[in-house]
Amino acid sequence: MYHLPVLKNRRTLLERAEKFISDIYFTDCNLRGRLYGDSCPLESLACFLTPKRITFSEASKQIFDPCKVGDTFGPTWWTCWFKATLKIPESWRGKEVHLLWESDGEAMVWRDEQPVQGLTKEGEKTSYILSECLQDEEPHSLTLYVEMACNGLFGAGQGSQIAAPDPNRKFSVQRAELVVFNRDVRELLTDFEMLVDIVKELGEEEQRGYQALFTVNEMVNLCDPSDPSSFAKVHSLAGTFFNQRNGESQHTVHAMGHCHIDSAWLWPYEETIRKCGRSWVTVIRLMEKNPEFVFTCSQAQQFQWVKSWYPGLFSSIQHYVKKGQFIPVGGTWVEMDGNLPSGESMVRQFLEGQRFFNKEFGRYCKEFWLPDTFGYSAQLPQIMQGCGISNFLTQKLSWNLINTFPHNTFFWEGLDGSTVLTHFPPGNSYEMKGKVEDLVKTLKNNKDKGRANHSAALFGFGDGGGGPTQLMLDRLRLVQDTNGLPKVQMSTPDELFTRLQADSALLCTWAGELFLELHNGTYTTQAQIKRGNRQCETLLHDIEIASSLALYRNNTFPYPAEKLQELWRLLLLNQFHDVIPGSCIEMVVEDALKYYEDIRSGGAALLRDACEALVAKGSSVAVFNSLPWERLEVVQIQEGAEKSGLGLLGIQYLYCSPHTINFISDVHCYVWHYSSGESFQHRCVSRERHTASDSGFCHRSGVKPVAEVVQPVHVVSSGGLRGSVSFTLRISDKSTITQEIIMDAMCPYIKFSTEVQWAESHKFLKVEFPVRVRSPNATYEIQFGHLQRPTHRNTSWDWARFEVWGHKWADLSEHNFGVSLLNDCKYGYSVHKNTMTLSLLRAPKAPDATADMGIHHFTYAIMPHTRSFQEASVIQCAYNLNFPLRLIQCSPDTMPWSAFSVTSQAVILETIKQAEDRGGVLVVRLYESHGSSVTATLRTTLPVREAWVCDLLEKQDPNRRVSFSFFGVFISPPCLILVFLALAPW
């Protein structure tokens, strides 16, 4: 059609096209208003409410009461099941027929006793396709069930998304009807939307943007919304524009479907199970219609949930995994926090995850997938490589508050020099929508232009689930190769990293941790969760060692592999990146604390059984030392043989060899008097703070020393092996802190056994030690090692580390002298100039309004030392503070016995466990802790038949058999090493 040339105004033309497809303006006559044709009500709608999350089988047997659209249901976290009877009009033959369902609660459609479609208004999924082209032989009358959760995609926050949930909120169904869906209108709307977005995103400076503007304007001229016969010509015009191709050098975007589902956050664990079901069954429906569609999915725990709750869906997932469309990624049990879990816990995340994926899908993951956590430990590259993973994807560092991370594609180097190819999707999101904006942002934000010409774009609703939609797929398909935009191809992580690796010659390397300059409050919030994590990590460590030794001391002892796996999986679940950091609602905290109690109670029984198998029963007391070095400690010993408990005997001085059972024969009494030294000063400070995740920047003007005395200093123990004093200070009219300061004979550190009654709002409790030490760097323990961070604020990168994380200890040293700060359950530190600070408690009010309220118990210690922290055995002392000596009843003739020792103080024997699926074989995990290269000898009294080096998945390396003799196994670890010990019968 020819038009006389007229002056065209960009803004006018753009607004004209926008209103032509608007869902707000002119819907009575524009194209959007023609998306749905005829409609008819449901034959009937009935429902029943339940406070529990129940199976379909149980729900379908209930009594359903009549209800109607507009009724409300609740309260929050209940479930409303609907029974919908449908009758499709005969006149709709040949039409596409949908059930249109809009509710403010997440929903799932069930048909023929199987889940078939997730419905989430916030996730742009409001219809279930009953027929794509209604035929006579198809059922016109049927009954469907809809399971609606009384919560939204992001829970039920009161007033804001991350506020504490409103427990009394009601939910409703706004629409429930049958409709004719006009697919040709949907396709045309997508053409219009993408062209309008191209005009907006390319702007006035780009010629291609004006070409899109003139094309979409002509489409408006040609399109008559009331006349479908006009649609083909309009669609053809759009196709001419989209089919104009790029050159060969254009950037390629690797599009991958994605559905990040937090295993718990603003909703409890149980609701996550249903989120997985709703999201993944929708993905399967999309795969049935789009054979090119690829979906990436992490977290073995979520797969396990789906396998248990939705076995039919899980079978479908296995089918599409084989087809290469449903791609398990990540290799871990959950997407864990990247800072707080111990090194052993991180190994177990991969061990449990990779073994699950291999068992269920016949494949190991090649990429670590952790897009949404609060920083990444410098030890992760080595752990990844040890688990068969050489690629890493995240995007979280784009959230930095102060500094912009300089790369999107690079090599990340860990503590030992291990490297992994790392990619941050330049679009800075793991939940794109397939829009032009996403593609343009991916191209423009790439910080490695010239080095990398391929990027990932993860599309699909996330955090609360939802996943991709058909509309997203249609958008991406439309612009696969359109001039002016990057090329788009549906891809897999393996394809992406293969291309990046092939062109990696110019990539840069980033050494050390990937520190997130945000969410520093997560190192401290929900102290009971962090205490539970540390204590359960310790308990499982001791159970495995005791069980391994019992296996070879008592030939009737069964190694509790199945029960240990159950307890480990509970612990790993609680290490999810919104649970152990404390950035979750109260219901999740309650679940997490219950799981810790389950681990404690179940673990205590396992440890008791293992220890009893190590010694003959009797009325005397022995002690089990699970650490691989000698320990001189003051302990409280009890006497009496009753199983209900032993009577208190008193404080005793105890010598323990490494990995031993020692009989206690004599009581050694010492008197150790002490006075306060000048090298440190102890203060508690209270600081104002904000949400569970964020602590804000530290301003000294907000510091208030805790100094009001409630109970003055008084002597608790004045002589013998222990000297201690106690006092109580008032934090506020609501909170107090009571401390016992303890000095034990032969112990190089002073302990502060602490009880806090805490009832504050938006406060941060810290303890500071100004010390007479000056150093530009402080050292912090991390997983299987340590790293240094600056104590000054010279640059913005230094300043952004005003609060950092560490594990059992931090140290500030100058030549030949230093001070270490130890703890038994804390993770937040700050060392500025000569002041060492440990974060103790916080009081945020969102998303848990009761976070950290109550009574807390914890211990920290200060340890001045000469020489370096390595030579002063700071690492061993921190272990001693965290790993208690375990008392066992035994016969009086029990003899001391030591199973393992290591000749080098630098080498820590971290773990002894039975190998997975291999009886008679132990795995011994060691790491070099000083930051040096050493040759060490592992000595054991167990009957070793042969020894091999293995990786972290416990795969034996046939080329690395370890030499051994009667005296021990010789190893030369660069940092972290595992040895298989195949043992002969005892």
Side-chain angles (χ1 to χ4, degrees):
M1 182 181 295
Y2 174 74
H3 296 286
L4 291 173
V6 296
L7 180 65
K8 298 183 186 294
N9 178 272
R10 182 180 184 275
R11 177 180 173 183
T12 302
L13 295 186
L14 182 57
E15 287 189 4
R16 180 179 186 235
E18 288 179 316
K19 286 184 171 58
F20 191 73
I21 58 173
S22 173
D23 57 1
I24 300 174
Y25 304 106
F26 309 115
T27 55
D28 60 329
C29 60
N30 72 4
L31 186 63
R32 178 76 60 179
R34 300 297 191 274
L35 184 58
Y36 297 109
D38 294 338
S39 66
C40 75
L42 307 181
E43 284 280 289
S44 67
L45 186 65
C47 71
F48 91 93
L49 273 165
T50 172
K52 297 181 180 180
R53 299 171 179 89
I54 61 177
T55 64
F56 173 83
S57 176
E58 185 178 350
S60 62
K61 297 173 184 175
Q62 305 303 312
I63 297 173
F64 288 75
D65 297 320
C67 64
K68 63 183 182 300
V69 171
D71 288 350
T72 59
F73 311 92
T76 306
W77 306 124
W78 282 46
T79 299
C80 189
W81 283 82
F82 295 90
K83 185 176 183 180
T85 304
L86 322 175
K87 185 174 182 180
I88 305 173
E90 295 290 337
S91 60
W92 289 6
R93 187 183 300 107
K95 307 268 182 83
E96 182 169 341
V97 182
H98 289 197
L99 166 65
L100 188 62
W101 181 281
E102 292 185 8
S103 64
D104 45 11
E106 293 186 89
M108 170 101 88
V109 181
W110 291 79
R111 184 173 182 176
D112 299 328
E113 302 182 0
Q114 293 297 320
V116 292
Q117 176 70 51
L119 296 172
T120 307
K121 189 175 181 180
E122 297 161 284
E124 297 181 4
K125 298 178 183 69
T126 57
S127 67
Y128 167 57
I129 301 175
L130 295 167
S131 175
E132 292 183 342
C133 183
L134 185 65
Q135 304 296 320
D136 289 339
E137 60 270 18
E138 290 185 84
H140 285 51
S141 297
L142 65 156
T143 298
L144 300 176
Y145 290 84
V146 179
E147 176 190 14
M148 188 186 81
C150 291
N151 55 263
L153 197 62
F154 293 94
Q158 191 165 13
S160 72
Q161 179 177 298
I162 64 166
D166 178 356
N168 300 310
R169 184 171 161 186
K170 293 301 180 79
F171 296 78
S172 66
V173 177
Q174 294 91 40
R175 295 183 73 177
E177 59 186 347
L178 300 182
V179 296
V180 171
F181 182 78
N182 293 321
R183 180 68 60 181
D184 54 353
V185 173
R186 175 69 270 174
E187 291 174 353
L188 208 54
L189 283 170
T190 305
D191 291 341
F192 273 99
E193 288 170 357
M194 295 298 278
L195 283 164
V196 166
D197 285 350
I198 289 173
V199 175
K200 292 179 179 179
E201 293 300 322
L202 297 189
E204 298 186 46
E205 305 301 320
E206 293 283 344
Q207 169 71 14
R208 187 64 170 160
Y210 276 95
Q211 292 174 359
L213 178 65
F214 276 63
T215 299
V216 77
N217 184 64
E218 184 64 13
M219 289 168 62
V220 175
N221 293 335
L222 291 174
C223 185
D224 180 356
S226 64
D227 181 10
S229 66
S230 68
F231 294 174
K233 195 167 187 178
V234 179
H235 186 59
S236 176
L237 185 60
T240 300
F241 177 91
F242 290 122
N243 288 326
Q244 292 172 337
R245 304 304 183 193
N246 273 297
E248 291 185 7
S249 64
Q250 182 60 280
H251 190 87
T252 300
V253 173
H254 292 249
M256 306 174 204
H258 190 239
C259 179
H260 179 65
I261 303 177
D262 287 320
S263 290
W265 178 32
L266 304 176
W267 51 87
Y269 285 126
E270 267 198 3
E271 190 56 41
T272 304
I273 300 172
R274 299 199 296 189
K275 284 177 175 287
C276 293
R278 288 188 287 262
S279 302
W280 296 359
V281 75
T282 304
V283 166
I284 296 299
R285 297 289 87 81
L286 290 174
M287 288 180 176
E288 291 170 351
K289 296 177 173 61
N290 303 270
E292 81 286 1
F293 173 43
V294 171
F295 178 75
T296 56
C297 192
S298 64
Q299 306 194 73
Q301 171 69 86
Q302 295 183 4
F303 283 92
Q304 179 63 56
W305 281 334
V306 168
K307 181 182 179 182
S308 299
W309 279 68
Y310 308 105
L313 171 58
F314 189 76
S315 295
S316 296
I317 290 171
Q318 289 178 312
H319 170 73
Y320 281 100
V321 168
K322 288 181 181 178
K323 291 187 69 175
Q325 288 182 255
F326 204 113
I327 312 292
V329 295
T332 51
W333 189 246
V334 297
E335 288 188 9
M336 72 282 194
D337 180 83
N339 300 326
L340 307 185
S342 69
E344 188 61 32
S345 289
M346 284 193 166
V347 169
R348 298 306 176 91
Q349 287 283 355
F350 285 99
L351 182 66
E352 289 296 327
Q354 289 283 58
R355 284 173 56 80
F356 179 89
F357 288 132
N358 187 54
K359 177 183 177 182
E360 300 295 342
F361 305 118
R363 53 172 291 167
Y364 291 105
C365 299
K366 299 178 182 179
E367 60 291 305
F368 183 34
W369 198 272
L370 195 56
D372 183 29
T373 194
F374 310 137
Y376 304 87
S377 168
Q379 190 57 271
L380 275 168
Q382 184 179 191
I383 294 174
M384 281 185 249
Q385 287 286 9
C387 296
I389 289 175
S390 56
N391 303 314
F392 174 47
L393 183 143
T394 186
Q395 62 82 47
K396 196 68 174 186
L397 263 66
S398 67
W399 290 35
N400 275 4
L401 278 183
I402 304 302
N403 301 285
T404 300
F405 194 79
H407 302 294
N408 286 102
T409 305
F410 59 99
F411 286 105
W412 180 23
E413 181 178 288
L415 282 185
D416 71 325
S418 297
T419 60
V420 290
L421 179 56
T422 301
H423 182 66
F424 296 176
N428 298 337
S429 174
Y430 50 76
E431 50 172 335
M432 293 180 166
K433 306 302 184 292
K435 293 187 174 183
V436 173
E437 173 191 5
D438 300 330
L439 303 177
V440 172
K441 188 184 294 185
T442 295
L443 181 62
K444 289 185 175 180
N445 288 0
N446 181 21
K447 301 182 190 71
D448 296 284
K449 297 181 179 75
R451 303 180 192 275
N453 205 28
H454 294 261
S455 298
L458 311 181
F459 65 94
F461 288 94
D463 288 331
T469 65
Q470 183 63 53
L471 178 56
M472 296 176 193
L473 291 168
D474 292 343
R475 288 168 181 159
L476 292 169
R477 187 181 293 118
L478 203 59
V479 293
Q480 290 180 75
D481 191 1
T482 295
N483 185 25
L485 298 176
K487 294 180 180 179
V488 180
Q489 68 177 61
M490 199 63 65
S491 188
T492 67
D494 192 45
E495 290 177 64
L496 169 68
F497 281 107
T498 297
R499 293 303 303 264
L500 293 175
Q501 185 68 55
D503 300 328
S504 63
L506 298 178
L507 294 182
C508 299
T509 297
W510 180 274
E513 68 180 328
L514 296 174
F515 185 86
L516 178 65
E517 298 171 1
L518 189 66
H519 298 336
N520 312 70
T522 59
Y523 313 150
T524 307
T525 302
Q526 300 290 5
Q528 299 288 18
I529 286 181
K530 291 169 172 63
R531 183 171 185 253
N533 178 76
R534 184 78 64 83
Q535 289 181 346
C536 290
E537 286 177 335
T538 299
L539 177 59
L540 292 177
H541 167 276
D542 287 4
I543 294 169
E544 289 184 329
I545 290 180
S547 298
S548 297
L549 302 186
L551 197 60
Y552 296 99
R553 292 282 288 184
N554 186 330
N555 57 16
T556 65
F557 177 79
Y559 189 89
E562 186 174 330
K563 184 63 177 178
L564 273 169
Q565 182 186 63
E566 177 186 327
L567 298 183
W568 263 112
R569 285 183 171 183
L570 281 181
L571 179 62
L572 300 180
L573 173 58
N574 273 356
Q575 290 173 350
F576 179 74
H577 64 251
D578 278 310
V579 179
I580 188 174
S583 51
C584 51
I585 61 173
E586 183 180 7
M587 291 178 71
V588 177
V589 176
E590 292 170 352
D591 286 344
L593 295 182
K594 178 185 179 299
Y595 289 164
Y596 289 133
E597 283 307 308
D598 291 345
I599 297 169
R600 289 187 183 105
S601 59
L606 294 182
L607 184 59
R608 182 189 63 244
D609 292 345
C611 288
E612 288 178 353
L614 285 169
V615 296
K617 294 182 180 180
S619 58
S620 295
V621 180
V623 67
F624 171 56
N625 173 21
S626 67
L627 298 178
W629 51 76
E630 298 174 353
R631 297 171 68 174
L632 299 171
E633 293 193 19
V634 174
V635 297
Q636 289 186 328
I637 305 300
Q638 298 173 318
E639 64 180 355
E642 295 84 3
K643 289 186 178 180
S644 60
L646 306 177
L648 182 65
L649 179 64
I651 296 175
Q652 304 212 355
Y653 175 66
L654 188 64
Y655 167 81
C656 286
S657 299
H659 286 128
T660 60
I661 300 297
N662 272 5
F663 176 60
I664 301 169
S665 55
D666 298 314
V667 178
H668 303 275
C669 296
Y670 293 86
V671 177
W672 190 352
H673 300 282
Y674 64 91
S675 60
S676 59
E678 295 182 343
S679 62
F680 60 85
Q681 179 183 4
H682 174 211
R683 296 189 294 164
C684 288
V685 297
S686 175
R687 304 178 189 272
E688 292 284 350
R689 282 302 179 257
H690 310 293
T691 65
S693 300
D694 301 310
S695 60
F697 288 105
C698 180
H699 298 288
R700 296 295 300 179
S701 59
V703 173
K704 299 176 182 178
V706 178
E708 182 182 345
V709 177
V710 175
Q711 184 178 31
V713 175
H714 60 280
V715 175
V716 177
S717 179
S718 59
L721 299 175
R722 170 168 290 175
S724 68
V725 297
S726 181
F727 57 87
T728 300
L729 301 176
R730 187 177 306 281
I731 298 169
S732 73
D733 59 351
K734 301 176 182 177
S735 306
T736 60
I737 179 169
T738 299
Q739 292 196 299
E740 183 181 3
I741 303 178
I742 302 168
M743 294 190 70
D744 287 336
M746 305 299 292
C747 181
Y749 50 82
I750 302 170
K751 291 185 287 188
F752 295 80
S753 178
T754 307
E755 177 182 289
V756 179
Q757 296 190 21
W758 186 245
E760 299 300 306
S761 295
H762 307 292
K763 294 292 198 304
F764 204 162
L765 185 67
K766 297 190 172 206
V767 60
E768 292 185 344
F769 292 90
V771 300
R772 290 188 172 180
V773 178
R774 293 191 64 85
S775 174
N777 295 293
T779 307
Y780 303 83
E781 185 195 37
I782 67 168
Q783 298 84 356
F784 298 131
H786 58 266
L787 56 75
Q788 290 189 333
R789 300 184 180 109
T791 60
H792 53 74
R793 303 291 186 262
N794 286 354
T795 71
S796 60
W797 293 86
D798 304 328
W799 180 50
R801 285 169 165 78
F802 65 91
E803 176 93 355
V804 298
W805 64 273
H807 284 199
K808 298 186 291 293
W809 59 269
D811 180 80
L812 184 64
S813 290
E814 56 193 32
H815 176 66
N816 214 36
F817 177 74
V819 177
S820 292
L821 186 53
L822 320 179
N823 76 84
D824 70 349
C825 60
K826 300 301 175 184
Y827 296 90
Y829 295 87
S830 175
V831 181
H832 184 209
K833 297 183 178 178
N834 70 319
T835 300
M836 305 181 73
T837 304
L838 183 67
S839 296
L840 304 178
L841 293 170
R842 297 185 70 236
K845 298 303 172 187
D848 177 8
T850 66
D852 283 321
M853 297 298 98
I855 298 175
H856 297 267
H857 295 93
F858 50 85
T859 297
Y860 55 85
I862 196 76
M863 180 178 169
H865 59 82
T866 58
R867 300 175 296 171
S868 68
F869 72 85
Q870 294 98 328
E871 295 169 304
S873 299
V874 167
I875 298 168
Q876 286 78 5
C877 287
Y879 270 91
N880 292 347
L881 183 66
N882 281 267
F883 288 79
L885 296 168
R886 310 279 185 178
L887 301 181
I888 317 170
Q889 286 182 274
C890 66
S891 66
D893 59 350
T894 299
M895 298 297 294
W897 173 64
S898 178
F900 287 97
S901 63
V902 184
T903 56
S904 171
Q905 185 183 13
V907 177
I908 303 294
L909 200 168
E910 176 69 21
T911 300
I912 304 170
K913 63 181 287 288
Q914 181 172 270
E916 301 292 323
D917 304 326
R918 297 185 65 176
V921 177
L922 294 184
V923 169
V924 179
R925 192 177 342 273
L926 310 101
Y927 73 94
E928 196 288 316
S929 67
H930 286 183
S932 61
S933 295
V934 298
T935 299
T937 300
L938 170 67
R939 291 198 171 102
T940 179
T941 58
L942 300 183
V944 179
R945 181 162 44 87
E946 57 182 358
W948 301 84
V949 171
C950 62
D951 65 13
L952 298 182
L953 298 184
E954 302 182 8
K955 296 179 181 178
Q956 183 174 309
D957 186 342
N959 299 316
R960 298 185 67 187
R961 187 167 182 171
V962 179
S963 62
F964 69 96
S965 67
F966 177 80
F967 296 100
V969 179
F970 299 95
I971 57 174
S972 180
C975 188
L976 179 64
I977 195 167
L978 281 82
V979 178
F980 262 149
L981 296 181
L983 303 181
W986 183 257

